[in-house]
């Protein structure tokens, strides 16, 4: 069950809020439609319910707000707009990646593909899907974690009649299994065909909360809207004339001076009013959901009743035959406008004999020659004595009831809605591996790096002025970084840059969550990709140089261990710089720029800082470490430490370490700042 209380969006400068004090319920096992025209506040209400937008109010999903649910994606399935994902990713790859994000078995992807009927499209790219297939995939993403509740914003928008019928069948099946379904629509006929309950929004406020039968009767059928100070008398006259002419006419007294006449037209109603000298303020045809806006006092009374219990008003049906011989009531002239709101408020205030959950009663005058006994039964129901008289006739008990405790004061404002980051993905490492391997961008980048490195290595060997270590790494003296380091940085920037451009996790919780678990997974995958790329570059360059120039250029150097460690540290550091910069600035370009800034900007600054006579070298550091330690380092760990310090002491190593430290601090600041707020 969904229970929304007091949903109110933040004011927009001088404009009123898009959603103002919206409260309703979506029961379990039923399909509820949130109906409204464009700009009526449907999408804003849904985003407030899902805590994707700041405002006020609270929404309970089976008794708990969303931020109190450990795994929101397993409780609420969400479809907001189109499917978020990289256009080059396949349908099956998208679902398998989301399986890791939701923490469900990967076999669930194939199951939901069969449920939504797109098994034949599992290898098709997201960018080539039609509107209908995209909606099916979005529904599959919502059903992936087998949630209890479905919240869909305009799911049938842009679909054909056949596809819309299929979609509504899926929603009905989910509700029949005990789930809760809430969807938004601007089509009243769609809401009447599909939903069990319809909540109507207008200008950001709830103007009606009805069952589908009452909604279809009052909002979909062609009718004549009449406003008159003598509405009750006019209704009785219309019913009598319809009975005399044997026509089926239904008259509904919806408000004190407002009638809805079904089965007639403006001409007949106007002639009846003219013949009996009845003043008419409004006479208009209404079709479908184009009814007039609810007046201010009527809306206030509706909201007052809904605060007590959101029940549909009961309707008493009266046949014209039962009032044929009764004298017509003589209506008093209407009260003045200044006293009308107070009188209506007093009329609807609960009395001592009235139960606290009572609602108003609408009187329906129906003239139908074929009703027979049903009309007399309805007549006896309408002719029952008033509630006050029944209370006076009822026997009273001598016991004095205990005084009721005073009601607790209500809070003037609903609680604020804060955007809470969801714990997603639940399996970050598996999610990141599937994300990185699901598109061809990484493979194409690695292939381009290998080709560029091979060409640069052959050209450097031809000149004969490059050391062997730089030759195998294809690193000219004139370039700030080798192609392998640039490629590793670009692959690292793709890890977060594409994540913000095509956020796969935005379907249920908004923007990509900057969680430390997701960052660690991206750093691990980026390091593994960078190490693999570094080995492939060195191996391919060595094989190519051996084929072209022989064994002279491919001999193993004496300091291969320290050189290999420096090479791997450089490539991994560039990859991590790309990941952190893209995560901070949410851009692939910013990630690659951060990698290029290390040798171009940071290295000269570090060199200038280290220049001067006061700079001391780290010569003899291993022996001093050995002297300070009580025991010798096992397995020659002091040599590894000395090699690491020598790498950091180099200008490129110092600049890279400084850049990584700054980017990591910036990333942690962006993670901890929302929590501090």
């Amino acid at each position: 069950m969904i229970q929304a209380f007091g949903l109110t969006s933040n004011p927009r400068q001088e404009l009123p809020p898009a959603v103002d004090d919206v409260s309703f319920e979506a029961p379990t096992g039923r399909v509820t439609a949130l109906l409204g025209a464009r700009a009526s506040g449907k999408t804003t209400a849904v985003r407030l319910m899902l805590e994707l937008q700041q405002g006020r109010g609270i929404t309970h999903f089976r008794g708990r707000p969303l931020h109190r649910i450990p795994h929101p994606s397993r409780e609420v399935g969400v479809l907001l707009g189109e499917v978020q994902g990289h256009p080059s990713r396949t349908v099956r790859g998208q679902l398998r990646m989301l399986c890791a994000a939701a923490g469900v078995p990967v076999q669930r992807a194939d199951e939901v593909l069969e449920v939504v009927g797109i098994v034949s499209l599992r290898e098709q790219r997201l960018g080539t899907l039609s509107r209908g297939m995209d909606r099916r995939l979005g529904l599959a993403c919502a059903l992936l974690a087998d949630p209890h509740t479905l919240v869909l914003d305009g799911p049938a928008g842009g679909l054909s009649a056949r596809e819309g019928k299929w979609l509504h069948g899926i929603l009905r099946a989910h509700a029949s299994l005990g789930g809760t379904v809430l969807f938004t629509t601007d089509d009243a006929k769609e809401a009447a065909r599909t939903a069990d309950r319809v909540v109507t929004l207008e200008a950001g406020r709830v103007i009606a909360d009805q069952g589908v039968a009452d909604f279809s009767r009052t909002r979909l059928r062609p009718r004549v809207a009449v406003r008159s100070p003598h509405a009750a008398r006019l209704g009785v006259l219309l019913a009598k004339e319809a009975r005399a002419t044997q026509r089926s006419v239904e008259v509904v007294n919806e408000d004190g001076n407002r009638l809805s006449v079904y089965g007639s037209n403006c001409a007949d109603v106007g002639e009846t009013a003219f013949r009996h000298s009845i003043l008419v303020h409004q006479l208009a045809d209404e079709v479908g959901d184009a009814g007039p806006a609810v007046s201010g006092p009527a809306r206030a009374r509706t909201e007052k009743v809904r605060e007590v219990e959101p029940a549909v008003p009961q309707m008493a049906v009266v046949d014209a035959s039962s009032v044929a011989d009764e004298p017509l009531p003589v209506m008093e002239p209407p009260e003045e406008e200044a006293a009308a709101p107070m009188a209506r408020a007093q009329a609807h205030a609960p009395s001592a004999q009235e139960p606290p959950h009572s609602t108003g009663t609408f009187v329906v005058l129906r003239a139908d020659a074929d009703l027979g006994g049903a009309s007399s039964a309805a007549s006896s129901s309408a002719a029952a004595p008033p509630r006050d008289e029944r209370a006076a006739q009822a026997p009273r008990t001598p016991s004095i009831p205990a005084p009721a405790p005073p009601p607790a004061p209500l809070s003037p404002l609903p609680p604020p809605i804060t955007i809470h980051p969801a714990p997603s993905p639940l399996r970050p490492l598996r999610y990141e591996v599937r994300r990185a391997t699901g598109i061809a961008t990484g493979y194409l980048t690695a292939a381009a790096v290998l080709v560029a490195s091979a060409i640069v290595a052959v050209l450097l060997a031809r000149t004969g002025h490059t050391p062997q270590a730089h030759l195998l790494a294809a690193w000219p003296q004139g370039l700030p970084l080798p192609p392998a380091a640039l490629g590793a940085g670009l692959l690292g920037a793709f890890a977060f840059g594409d994540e913000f451009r095509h956020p796969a996790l935005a379907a249920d919780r908004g923007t990509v969550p900057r969680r430390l678990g997701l960052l660690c997974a991206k750093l691990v995958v980026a390091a593994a990709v960078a190490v693999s790329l570094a080995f492939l570059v060195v191996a391919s360059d060595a094989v190519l140089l051996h084929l072209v120039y022989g064994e002279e250029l491919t001999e193993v150097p004496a300091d291969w261990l320290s050189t290999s460690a420096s090479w791997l540290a450089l490539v991994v550091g560039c990859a991590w710089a790309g990941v952190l910069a893209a995560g901070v600035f949410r851009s692939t370009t910013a990630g690659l720029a951060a990698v290029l800034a290390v040798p171009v900007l940071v290295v000269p600054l570090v060199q200038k800082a280290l220049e001067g006579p006061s700079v001391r070298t780290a010569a003899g550091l291993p022996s001093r470490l050995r002297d300070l330690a009580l025991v010798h380092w096992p397995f020659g760990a002091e040599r590894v430490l000395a090699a690491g310090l020598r790498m950091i002491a180099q200008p490129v190593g110092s600049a890279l370490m400084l850049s990584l430290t700054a980017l990591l601090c910036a990333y942690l600041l962006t993670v901890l700042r929302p929590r501090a707020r």
Side-chain angles (χ1 to χ4, degrees), residues 524-550:
V524 170
V525 174
V529 172
V531 169
S532 302
L533 185 62
F535 275 115
L536 288 176
V537 166
V538 172
S540 61
D541 290 349
V543 171
L544 185 60
L545 292 175
H546 178 76
L547 291 177
V548 177
Y549 299 106

Side-chain angles (χ1 to χ4, degrees), residues 489-490 492-498 501 577-578 581-583 585-597:
L490 182 59
F494 283 146
F496 258 131
D498 280 347
R501 287 178 57 201
F585 300 106
R586 303 187 178 188
S587 172
T588 304
T589 307
L592 185 59
V595 175
L596 291 175

Side-chain angles (χ1 to χ4, degrees), residues 167 210 233 254 272 285 296 319 343 348 356-357 390 405-406 442 478 565 586 595 617 657:
L167 175 64
Q210 305 167 288
R233 181 166 177 256
E254 295 183 348
T272 302
D285 284 322
D319 187 70
H348 287 269
H357 297 289
R390 293 197 304 268
R586 303 187 178 188
V595 175
T617 62
M657 183 63 65

Side-chain angles (χ1 to χ4, degrees), residues 57-221:
I58 189 171
T59 304
H60 287 169
F61 297 90
R62 290 203 288 184
R64 293 181 297 175
L66 201 61
H67 62 272
R68 297 291 185 183
I69 300 175
H71 306 302
S73 59
R74 298 182 183 179
E75 176 66 26
V76 183
V78 179
L79 175 58
L80 301 177
E82 298 181 353
V83 175
Q84 301 287 342
H86 198 284
S88 299
R89 199 179 306 278
T90 63
V91 171
R92 188 182 184 188
Q94 175 80 3
L95 292 177
R96 290 168 68 91
M97 181 181 63
L98 294 180
C99 283
V104 298
V106 71
Q107 294 81 7
R108 179 64 179 169
D110 297 326
E111 295 177 2
V112 295
L113 284 176
E114 293 181 0
V115 170
V116 300
I118 55 174
V119 179
S120 59
L121 303 179
R122 60 180 178 270
E123 299 301 330
Q124 192 169 347
R125 308 291 178 181
L126 297 185
T128 61
L129 294 178
S130 63
R131 176 69 174 178
M133 296 302 103
D134 182 84
R135 286 283 135 174
R136 288 176 181 254
L137 178 59
L139 186 59
C141 296
L143 294 172
L144 195 61
D146 194 17
H148 174 270
T149 304
L150 291 180
V151 178
L152 315 174
D153 185 21
L159 298 184
S160 63
R162 180 179 179 182
E163 292 172 337
K165 184 177 180 180
W166 169 87
L167 175 64
H168 296 146
I170 293 291
L171 301 183
R172 175 61 59 188
H174 183 80
S176 63
L177 295 177
T180 304
V181 178
L182 174 68
F183 73 96
T184 66
T185 181
D186 55 1
D187 187 358
K189 295 182 179 179
E190 176 190 356
R193 289 193 305 264
T194 308
D196 300 309
R197 192 163 195 83
V198 182
V199 180
T200 306
L201 292 183
E202 182 178 317
R205 308 197 72 176
V206 177
I207 63 171
D209 189 350
Q210 305 167 288
V212 66
D214 294 332
F215 172 78
S216 300
R217 183 188 61 79
T218 59
R219 304 286 285 180
L220 290 182
R221 294 170 55 191

Side-chain angles (χ1 to χ4, degrees), residues 280-345:
V280 175
H281 291 165
Q282 179 188 7
L283 188 63
D285 284 322
E286 293 182 357
V287 179
D289 199 34
V294 179
S295 60
R299 181 184 290 115
R301 181 170 63 256
T302 303
E303 292 173 357
K304 182 178 180 181
V305 173
R306 189 166 51 248
E307 288 178 2
V308 179
E309 181 180 359
V312 180
Q314 302 295 326
M315 297 186 181
V317 182
V318 182
D319 187 70
S321 60
S322 62
V323 296
D325 301 328
E326 296 179 3
L328 297 180
V330 179
M331 303 299 295
E332 297 294 334
E335 297 182 0
E336 299 177 359
E337 293 296 330
M342 182 63 68
R344 283 194 291 266

